Amino acid sequence: MTEVRTTRAAAGEEGRRERKKRETRERLAHVATLMFIERGFENVTITEIAEAADVSKMTVSNYFPLKEDLVFDAHEGVVDSLARVVRERAVGESALHALHRVLVSSLDRPHVVNGRCTPGFAHLVHDSPRLRAREREMDEQREAALAAALADAAHTGPEDPVPHVSAAQLAGAHRVLWRRVRALCRAAAPAAQVRAEITELAGTAFGLLEPALGDYCRRER
């Protein structure tokens, strides 16, 4: 019984440690982002962030090796967002139709797949060359993850160009929509306007790809 209790206690302690690490990470990202929005990304140092969060500079760097990571702390979810839609598509649904459906259905709230955010965050990224460059890197990573998911869904090898070409087209349509969402966020457009305009634009963007990709990677039973 002692061994069982010790094991359970260790498991609970590990859970508390992980929760504390997650909370620290979230707090650092929140504090840093507010400072960046107020003063500009290039005008805030890691030392100042550490002081504001009451931690050491090393702690900030341990959680976020790159300063840009403090802004894009949801990086992993964003990069995997399109691939995840493909993995979780419904029976009978193609990759294109799943991506279209999820993007439109997510527009009522900020979501990793649609790019919605506060006006302050949208301006922060738009006004910083370093943050725009980081987002372009994330675009490339998101497209690569999508290509891998399509290849897996189509049961093809890495040498097959079709998943890569298809991912480029689908990710390209998504980028157009994402950037328009961000422009509307910078303009502080009402939520109803964002939903109406992006829903219409999504119909156009994905509709243009329908003849080529409408049936691609349709999920069978």
Side-chain angles (χ1 to χ4, degrees):
M1 290 298 293
T2 302
E3 182 179 351
V4 173
R5 284 197 297 269
T6 301
T7 301
R8 287 176 179 171
E13 181 63 27
E14 180 66 23
R16 287 192 289 273
R17 285 200 297 269
E18 290 304 314
R19 183 176 68 253
K20 184 176 180 180
K21 288 169 62 177
R22 174 179 55 79
E23 290 172 349
T24 299
R25 190 176 193 279
E26 291 174 352
R27 181 165 60 88
L28 288 173
H30 179 68
V31 168
T33 299
L34 290 179
M35 295 176 71
F36 293 148
I37 290 173
E38 180 181 358
R39 295 166 50 191
F41 178 75
E42 284 76 12
N43 299 324
V44 179
T45 67
I46 297 298
T47 298
E48 290 172 324
I49 294 167
E51 292 174 353
D54 194 24
V55 298
S56 69
K57 182 178 177 181
M58 182 63 70
T59 296
V60 179
S61 298
N62 285 341
Y63 279 94
F64 299 97
L66 296 177
K67 186 179 173 184
E68 290 87 343
D69 293 339
L70 283 155
V71 177
F72 299 117
D73 59 304
H75 164 268
E76 291 184 3
V78 172
V79 167
D80 187 55
S81 59
L82 303 186
R84 180 175 181 177
V85 170
V86 171
R87 292 194 301 269
E88 297 178 354
R89 70 197 185 285
V91 172
E93 194 173 40
S94 69
L96 183 149
H97 295 157
L99 290 167
H100 187 180
R101 172 183 58 79
V102 171
L103 186 139
V104 171
S105 67
S106 73
L107 288 172
D108 287 329
R109 64 194 188 286
H111 191 282
V112 290
V113 85
N114 66 34
R116 274 195 61 183
C117 59
T118 64
F121 186 90
H123 279 290
L124 167 65
V125 176
H126 183 265
D127 294 343
S128 169
R130 286 176 59 182
L131 293 180
R132 291 200 308 272
R134 181 63 174 136
E135 266 205 330
R136 287 193 294 272
E137 291 179 3
M138 291 167 60
D139 285 341
E140 294 177 359
Q141 294 168 352
R142 183 165 45 198
E143 182 180 319
L146 176 59
L150 292 174
D152 184 63
H155 307 292
T156 62
E159 73 284 350
D160 187 344
V162 174
H164 298 277
V165 174
S166 301
Q169 294 179 77
L170 292 167
H174 180 267
R175 277 195 299 275
V176 171
L177 294 161
W178 178 282
R179 288 170 183 168
R180 183 54 189 159
V181 169
R182 283 295 176 82
L184 291 170
C185 291
R186 291 197 302 275
Q193 180 185 343
V194 175
R195 164 168 275 284
E197 184 171 331
I198 300 304
T199 297
E200 182 178 358
L201 181 57
T204 299
F206 288 111
L208 288 170
L209 301 180
E210 178 73 28
L213 297 175
D215 288 322
Y216 182 58
C217 288
R218 189 175 297 278
R219 188 167 202 164
E220 300 178 356
R221 292 186 180 277

